[in-house]
Amino acid sequence: MFKVFVLPFLLWFALAGAALAQQNSVLDSLLKPTDNFLPVDQAFEFDFIQQDNALIISWNIADNYYLYKDKIKLGGIAVSFSHPSYPASMQIEDEYFGVTDVYFHQLTLRIPLTDVSEDAVFKIQYMGCAEAGLCYPPVTKEVPLLSVTPTNAASTSTPSSSLPVSSQNQLAEKLTAGASIATLAGFFLLGIGLAFTPCVFPMYPILTSIIVGQGAGLSNKRAFTLSFSYVQGMAITYSLLGLVIASLGVKFQGYMQHPAVLIVASIIFIVLALSMFGAFNLSLPSSWQEKISKVSNKQQGGSHKGTFVMGALSGLIASPCTTAPLSAALLYVAQSGDLLLGAITLYILSLGMGLPLLLLGSSGGKLLPKAGNWMNAVKSTFGFLLLAVPLILLDRMLPFSYVLAAGSLLALAFVIYIYRVLFSLQNSSAKAILLIIGQLLMVAILYLNIQHWWPAPATSTTATQTQSTGFELVTSLEQLQQKVANSDGRYTMVDLYADWCIACKEFEHLTFPKPEVQAQMQNMQLLKVDVTKNTLKDQAVLEHYRVLGLPTLLFFSPDGTDLTQARVTGFKNASEFSAHLQQLQQ
C-alpha cells in the first residue's frame, strides 16, 4: 500500500547545484551539537519480543520527536518473514524530505516469521528527527531469533510466547487475512449479541416511543420503515464515528460525553417524553400541513428524516461502550488504513446491533393497541421509559446517589400511574398483571435504596477483598511510564476508566472483586487512569498508547514492554478475565 521512499540520487545530473546544497544542509543537521537533544536511544526507545512465529518490535518515541515511516528497513539472516501491516501514520511537511509520513509517541509492528533457523538474526534500520531541527543518522538494530519448530516450540520460545491474544486482535487478524462472507457474517452475529448489552439498552425506549407516538393508525409497513430509518441512522453514524475514532482515538468519543452534550441530549429526551404524555404535539403548523398534504397523502412527511436523526443521535450519545468486535474493526482500520473494508465491517456490525431494534419497532403495528384509552396508557408508559434515558446519560456525570434518588421518584410515579390505570380496568386478568408489575417495581425500589443507603456490614473477608481491588491512580503519561518502569519485577495492568463508560463500571463492580480474579491480580502492579474529564493529560495517555475506545486494559511485562496483543477491550466476566490473567503470567 505504501511505497518505499528512495532519495533521488539521479537528480544530481539535472540539478547538481541545488541537490548538493540540500545534501550539505542535511549533513549539517546530522552533525549539529546535540547538547539540547536526547541521545538517539532515548529519543527512540527500541524494544522487541519474540512470540513463537512472530517478532514484535516497538518504539517509544519521546515527545517532540518522530520516526520516518519510509526509513524503516527490515531484513533477516536465516529467516523468512512477511512485511507487517503499518498503523496509520501522520503526514507532515518535513524540512529535509518534504511531505512525508511519520510516527509520533509510539509505534508497534508485528512481523510474521517462518523458517527460523539456528543463529537467525533479524535486522531493523530506522531514522528519526526532532521537531526542533535535529535529524539523527540511520540506526540499525540486530535481534537474535530463537528457532521455532512444531516439536520444540514450547521449549525454545521465550516466556512471553504464551501471551494471550485478546478477542479483538483475533478478529482483527481475520479481517487482515481477508474479509470473507463468513467473516462479515460473523461480525453481523456478534452485532446481534451486542444488541442485548447495557450499551444498547437506551435505544429501545427511544425507538419504541417514536413508534408509539405515531398513534393508533400505525400500519405494519409504516412501523417497519420508521424502524428501518432509525436503525440506518444508528448504523451509518456508528460506522462513520468508528472511522473517526480509528483516526483520532478515543478523545472524540470523550467529547460526545461532555456534560454540555449530555445535558442537551437529556433535555431533548425529556421534551419527547412530555409529548408522549400529551403535554403538546410535535407536529408541523397547520398551514404547513395543508400545503404538504396537497403534494403528498402522507400525514407526516418528515417523520422518516426525524427518525433517522434520532438514530444518529442515539449512535453518538446513547451507546458509548467499546466492545471486542467493535475494537477489532477499529484496530484493523488503524493498522491497515483500509477505510472501505473498515466501514463495511462497522456497518454490518451495526446492522446486527439494530436487528432486534428493527424487529421490535416493526412489530408495533401488531402488538400495540389500535384505539381507545389503552393507546393513551401505552404512550404514557413509554413516556416513563423515555424519561429513564436522561438518567442513564446523567449517570455518567452525576453521583450515583442523585441518579438513584431521581430514578426512585420516577419509578414511584410510574407505580402510581399503574395503579391509576388498574382501577379504571374491567378485565380481571389485566388488573392482576398490572398489580404484579406494580408490586415488583416497589420491591425493586426498596431493595436498591436499602442496599445503597443502609448496606449490610462488611465481613472482614469482604472488607479485605474490597481494599485489594483498589488500583493506584496515576494522572499523567510520565507518571504512568515511571510506574511501569519500576514494577519490581511484576506484570502491570492499567485500567483506562471513565465515568461515562458503562462497561468500565461493570469491570469495577462485577469482575475485579471476584476471588478468582483477585488471586491472579495479587502479584500484579495495578494502575488506573481516569480519563472522564478528557484533559490534555488524559489525551496524551490515550494517544501515546493508541487507545481506540473504552474500556481498555493495558498490560506490561516486568521489563516494561507494552503487551499490545494481550490488551482487553470490552467487558469480560470474572472467569474469562481470570483465565486471561493466568495465561498472561505463565
Side-chain angles (χ1 to χ4, degrees):
M1 182 178 295
F2 297 98
K3 296 181 179 179
V4 177
F5 181 84
V6 179
L7 288 175
F9 295 108
L10 296 179
L11 195 60
W12 288 346
F13 296 101
L15 299 171
L20 183 59
Q22 181 180 13
Q23 183 185 20
N24 290 337
S25 175
V26 173
L27 290 174
D28 288 343
S29 71
L30 295 177
L31 298 175
K32 283 182 182 179
T34 58
D35 294 341
N36 297 325
F37 296 95
L38 294 174
V40 64
D41 287 335
Q42 293 183 20
F44 313 103
E45 294 182 8
F46 177 80
D47 202 355
F48 68 91
I49 185 171
Q50 183 181 350
Q51 296 181 1
D52 285 346
N53 59 347
L55 176 66
I56 298 176
I57 59 176
S58 62
W59 292 268
N60 282 327
I61 306 169
D63 292 340
N64 303 317
Y65 292 77
Y66 55 85
L67 275 179
Y68 292 107
K69 179 180 180 180
D70 56 8
K71 298 296 184 291
I72 299 175
K73 312 293 184 181
L74 306 176
I77 300 175
V79 61
S80 300
F81 66 95
S82 301
H83 284 277
S85 297
Y86 285 79
S89 58
M90 180 179 294
Q91 279 196 343
I92 64 169
E93 182 73 30
D94 187 71
E95 180 180 356
Y96 308 108
F97 302 109
V99 178
T100 185
D101 293 322
V102 299
Y103 291 105
F104 290 90
H105 303 307
Q106 187 181 42
L107 173 62
T108 300
L109 299 177
R110 186 176 188 274
I111 305 168
L113 305 175
T114 55
D115 302 328
V116 183
S117 304
E118 293 185 7
D119 302 324
V121 176
F122 200 88
K123 293 187 176 182
I124 306 101
Q125 185 182 88
Y126 57 93
M127 177 180 176
C129 292
E131 290 183 317
L134 173 71
C135 275
Y136 294 86
V139 177
T140 300
K141 298 287 185 180
E142 293 189 358
V143 176
L145 300 178
L146 296 174
S147 60
V148 179
T149 63
T151 56
N152 66 357
S155 59
T156 61
S157 60
T158 64
S160 298
S161 63
S162 61
L163 283 176
V165 180
S166 300
S167 301
Q168 68 272 10
N169 289 296
Q170 295 174 1
L171 292 171
E173 288 179 359
K174 290 184 179 180
L175 285 176
T176 303
S180 63
I181 298 298
T183 302
L184 296 178
F187 272 88
F188 181 78
L189 294 175
L190 290 170
I192 295 177
L194 298 180
F196 300 99
T197 63
C199 302
V200 186
F201 282 168
M203 295 187 184
Y204 288 97
I206 297 172
L207 174 60
T208 313
S209 301
I210 293 173
I211 300 301
V212 173
Q214 300 301 305
L218 179 68
S219 64
N220 293 336
K221 179 180 178 181
R222 186 164 183 78
F224 173 81
T225 56
L226 288 173
S227 303
F228 185 78
S229 297
Y230 181 89
V231 171
Q232 288 300 306
M234 181 269 292
I236 293 175
T237 303
Y238 226 63
S239 303
L240 296 178
L241 178 62
L243 297 181
V244 173
I245 292 177
S247 302
L248 300 181
V250 72
K251 61 183 180 182
F252 183 82
Q253 187 184 19
Y255 291 145
M256 296 309 302
Q257 306 306 315
H258 190 277
V261 177
L262 296 178
I263 291 173
V264 171
S266 299
I267 292 174
I268 293 174
F269 292 128
I270 291 173
V271 170
L272 292 174
L274 292 177
S275 70
M276 299 296 290
F277 293 129
F280 54 86
N281 290 322
L282 292 176
S283 60
L284 295 173
S286 58
S287 59
W288 291 16
Q289 290 182 5
E290 291 176 2
K291 293 180 182 179
I292 294 175
S293 63
K294 294 178 182 178
V295 181
S296 174
N297 291 327
K298 296 181 179 180
Q299 295 181 357
Q300 299 183 16
S303 60
H304 289 90
K305 293 181 181 179
T307 306
F308 181 91
V309 171
M310 288 301 299
L313 182 64
S314 300
L316 284 172
I317 299 173
S319 56
C321 299
T322 300
T323 58
L326 177 60
S327 295
L330 298 180
L331 186 62
Y332 173 80
V333 173
Q335 290 182 343
S336 68
D338 190 342
L339 299 181
L340 178 60
L341 180 57
I344 292 174
T345 306
L346 288 165
Y347 180 72
I348 289 177
L349 180 70
S350 302
L351 286 183
M353 294 170 56
L355 180 61
L357 291 166
L358 183 63
L359 295 176
L360 175 65
S362 300
S363 66
K366 293 182 179 180
L367 299 180
L368 299 179
K370 298 300 181 182
N373 292 330
W374 262 108
M375 196 64 210
N376 293 328
V378 172
K379 289 181 64 175
S380 297
T381 297
F382 284 108
F384 280 105
L385 292 177
L386 200 57
L387 284 177
V389 176
L391 294 179
I392 297 174
L393 299 180
L394 296 177
D395 180 46
R396 303 166 190 171
M397 54 178 287
L398 295 177
F400 179 71
S401 300
Y402 296 166
V403 177
L404 177 61
S408 299
L409 291 175
L410 178 62
L412 285 174
F414 184 49
V415 170
I416 294 173
Y417 178 77
I418 286 177
Y419 285 122
R420 178 184 172 186
V421 172
L422 185 149
F423 290 125
S424 65
L425 295 177
Q426 302 296 328
N427 188 298
S428 58
S429 298
K431 284 186 174 183
I433 293 174
L434 289 182
L435 182 62
I436 293 174
I437 292 175
Q439 290 177 338
L440 290 176
L441 278 175
M442 289 295 297
V443 171
I445 294 170
L446 290 173
Y447 176 78
L448 289 176
N449 279 274
I450 290 173
Q451 288 292 315
H452 180 74
W453 300 108
W454 299 282
T459 63
S460 58
T461 302
T462 304
T464 302
Q465 185 187 83
T466 302
Q467 292 175 1
S468 62
T469 62
F471 286 46
E472 182 180 356
L473 186 66
V474 294
T475 58
S476 67
L477 177 61
E478 294 74 15
Q479 186 183 5
L480 174 59
Q481 291 176 326
Q482 184 179 8
K483 291 287 185 182
V484 170
N486 299 282
S487 63
D488 297 328
R490 297 174 295 171
Y491 281 87
T492 300
M493 180 170 72
V494 181
D495 177 21
L496 299 177
Y497 170 91
D499 288 340
W500 46 262
C501 171
I502 298 174
C504 296
K505 296 181 179 180
E506 290 182 323
F507 262 118
E508 190 174 51
H509 297 291
L510 301 179
T511 300
F512 294 153
K514 297 298 183 181
E516 60 268 35
V517 176
Q518 286 291 299
Q520 297 299 327
M521 294 196 307
Q522 63 182 355
N523 294 323
M524 300 182 70
Q525 179 179 220
L526 306 177
L527 304 176
K528 179 177 180 178
V529 183
D530 189 343
V531 298
T532 302
K533 296 181 179 180
N534 198 30
T535 63
L536 292 178
K537 288 185 177 181
D538 297 339
Q539 293 178 21
V541 174
L542 298 174
E543 290 177 359
H544 181 81
Y545 294 108
R546 300 187 62 81
V547 177
L548 298 176
L550 299 183
T552 293
L553 300 176
L554 309 178
F555 295 95
F556 298 87
S557 65
D559 63 1
T561 303
D562 183 4
L563 306 177
T564 54
Q565 291 295 104
R567 285 188 185 183
V568 170
T569 61
F571 176 73
K572 284 184 178 292
N573 60 35
S575 58
E576 293 175 331
F577 190 64
S578 174
H580 186 87
L581 295 182
Q582 183 177 10
Q583 186 178 358
L584 175 74
Q585 300 180 83
Q586 283 181 348

